[in-house]
Amino acid sequence: GAVVSQHPSRVICKSGTSVKIECRSLDFQATTMFWYRQFPKQSLMLMATSNEGSKATYEQGVEKDKFLINHASLTLSTLTVTSAHPEDSSFYICSARARPDNEQFFGPGTRLTVL
Amino acid sequence: GQNIDQPTEMTATEGAIVQINCTYQTSGFNGLFWYQQHAGEAPTFLSYNVLDGLEEKGRFSSFLSRSKGYSYLLLKELQMKDSASYLCAVLDSNYQLIWGAGTKLIIKP
């Protein structure tokens, strides 16, 4: 299957700082990328959907000014958690797909801990 | 509203067979996916069904009945490494993926 990388895999930061997470599709062009958040023992929660070259579509309840998403190319999307707080600590997972009817391939996830 | 139902947790014995069911009610249908997710890891793709019937892939098979809004994932010859959560997801008419809450499968020796 297709490969999606995510970096960093783990980050610990102080409250109030910003953290950037990168998501890359390594062997295919991802017209759409998705950002999910997952709290322990809970299901995936879609945060936003981004199409290359256009603004991300955020799910209800997700603050777009706090979670900045940039999908600048067909192989790269970034999520920046601005002014992170302890309640933002979670497992952030990106996924990518080439076409609307394709499966989503997931990155390995980024575990964020805000102290 | 859109809804996907699957059991919260199932237990099975190593070497046995287990069937995980998924029922869905969505606005439109463009396919159903099954993903496996081990604790602390991201989901990995298992199968995709868009037509009725059974798709077999090694020890795993997935079945779909569109008229009944029903799918199941069948795991044969269970191994301890199959202990994971299994996520059912449906692609709706807008090509949005609607996720079930997942079924945690516990394998006992």
Side-chain angles (χ1 to χ4, degrees), chain A residues 27-99:
Chain A
D27 52 1
F28 69 102
Q29 294 189 322
T31 55
T32 309
M33 286 185 166
F34 305 85
W35 287 96
Y36 292 86
R37 182 166 52 181
Q38 188 174 35
F39 293 104
K41 298 185 179 180
Q42 294 188 24
S43 58
L44 291 171
M45 286 176 48
L46 180 65
M47 298 175 67
T49 302
S50 76
N51 292 295
E52 184 265 339
S54 61
K55 288 185 179 179
T57 303
Y58 289 81
E59 295 299 302
Q60 198 169 7
V62 178
E63 300 171 59
K64 61 179 181 182
D65 294 330
K66 180 169 182 62
F67 298 98
L68 303 178
I69 292 172
N70 187 309
H71 191 166
S73 76
L74 283 171
T75 58
L76 173 64
S77 176
T78 60
L79 166 68
T80 301
V81 183
T82 61
S83 187
H85 287 99
E87 57 265 30
D88 298 323
S89 298
S90 186
F91 191 42
Y92 291 86
I93 313 171
C94 74
S95 70
R97 71 179 184 201
R99 297 196 322 258

Side-chain angles (χ1 to χ4, degrees), chain A residues 36 38 97 100 103-104 107, chain B residues 33 35 37 42 91 95 97 99:
Chain A
Y36 292 86
Q38 188 174 35
R97 71 179 184 201
E103 63 265 41
Q104 292 182 25
Chain B
F33 297 87
Y35 283 84
Q37 186 177 23
L91 206 56
Y95 291 97
L97 204 55
W99 292 90

Side-chain angles (χ1 to χ4, degrees), chain B residues 13-31:
Chain B
T13 305
E14 191 177 14
I17 299 173
V18 71
Q19 177 175 310
I20 303 173
N21 296 325
C22 171
T23 58
Y24 62 90
Q25 291 175 309
T26 56
S27 54
F29 179 84
N30 279 301

